[in-house]
């Protein structure tokens, strides 16, 4: 993506967010990375540290249960220490919309990689999936069930 398009998309996403001085003082949205049924993921710059992060934002509060699940997910991630699980740096709200700032990993997700790679040899599939199985095992050992395992959620 060219820098001008990235800037425009970041500005458009930022303009669509509810007015929140604290959030705007902490983060500069750089671009929209993805959109799902419950929210968006954006690449952002954490202004106080200069660190690029992924901001996962619940796009609207469907109900208090959805908000509660999102905040529980943030607490679970904050307590996780595993090499195949992204780190969480911050949790908060933009207006009434909860967000979490996550470790931003280079490259895309497994779904994008699979589209470009085509058929994957068994050794390569094992190399990719063994860390995923380890992370899921770690979740299970803590009594947590990951409810959305899919290639788009594997980075």
């Amino acid at each position: 993506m060219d820098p001008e398009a990235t800037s425009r998309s970041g500005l458009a996403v930022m303009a669509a967010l509810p007015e929140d001085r604290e959030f705007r003082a902490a983060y500069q949205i750089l671009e929209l990375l993805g959109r799902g049924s419950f929210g968006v993921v954006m690449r952002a710059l954490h202004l106080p540290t200069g660190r690029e992060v992924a901001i996962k934002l619940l796009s609207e509060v469907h109900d208090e249960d959805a908000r509660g699940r999102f905040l529980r997910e943030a607490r679970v991630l904050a307590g996780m220490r595993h090499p195949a699980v992204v780190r969480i740096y911050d949790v908060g709200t933009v207006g009434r919309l909860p967000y979490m700032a996550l470790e931003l990993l280079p490259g895309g997700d497994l779904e994008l990689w699979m589209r470009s790679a085509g058929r994957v040899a068994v050794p390569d599939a094992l190399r990719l999936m063994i860390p995923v199985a380890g992370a899921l095992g770690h979740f299970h050992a803590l009594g947590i069930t990951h409810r959305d395992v899919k290639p788009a959620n594997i980075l």
Side-chain angles (χ1 to χ4, degrees):
M1 180 176 280
D2 73 22
E4 190 173 310
T6 299
S7 174
R8 280 195 313 265
S9 64
L11 290 173
V13 172
M14 195 68 159
L17 292 175
E19 189 61 39
D20 188 301
R21 284 188 180 149
E22 190 174 312
F23 181 84
R24 291 171 188 262
Y27 295 100
Q28 177 186 354
I29 304 301
L30 302 173
E31 71 176 308
L32 180 68
L33 294 175
R35 185 182 309 271
S37 59
F38 279 94
V40 296
V41 178
M42 304 163 285
R43 184 171 66 92
L45 181 64
H46 183 242
L47 297 169
T49 63
R51 174 189 292 163
E52 284 196 12
V53 298
I55 300 281
K56 183 176 181 179
L57 175 74
L58 197 62
S59 57
E60 61 181 79
V61 179
H62 300 276
D63 56 44
E64 286 306 309
D65 286 342
R67 181 185 174 89
R69 281 191 306 275
F70 187 91
L71 294 172
R72 276 191 303 279
E73 176 186 348
R75 280 193 299 277
V76 165
L77 279 174
M80 295 291 288
R81 296 292 179 266
H82 189 278
V85 177
V86 295
R87 290 182 184 93
I88 188 166
Y89 298 126
D90 187 22
V91 178
T93 57
V94 182
R96 284 197 22 84
L97 306 177
Y99 75 87
M100 60 181 94
L102 304 162
E103 177 181 12
L104 180 66
L105 300 177
D109 59 46
L110 182 59
E111 181 178 25
L112 291 172
W113 183 82
M114 287 170 52
R115 281 190 204 147
S116 66
R119 187 178 174 105
V120 179
V122 172
D124 293 330
L126 289 172
R127 181 181 52 79
L128 291 169
M129 296 313 296
I130 286 173
V132 174
L136 291 172
H138 187 69
F139 276 103
H140 181 74
L142 295 172
I144 300 164
T145 302
H146 191 302
R147 296 169 39 169
D148 199 19
V149 178
K150 60 185 179 186
N153 287 342
I154 298 171
L155 304 175

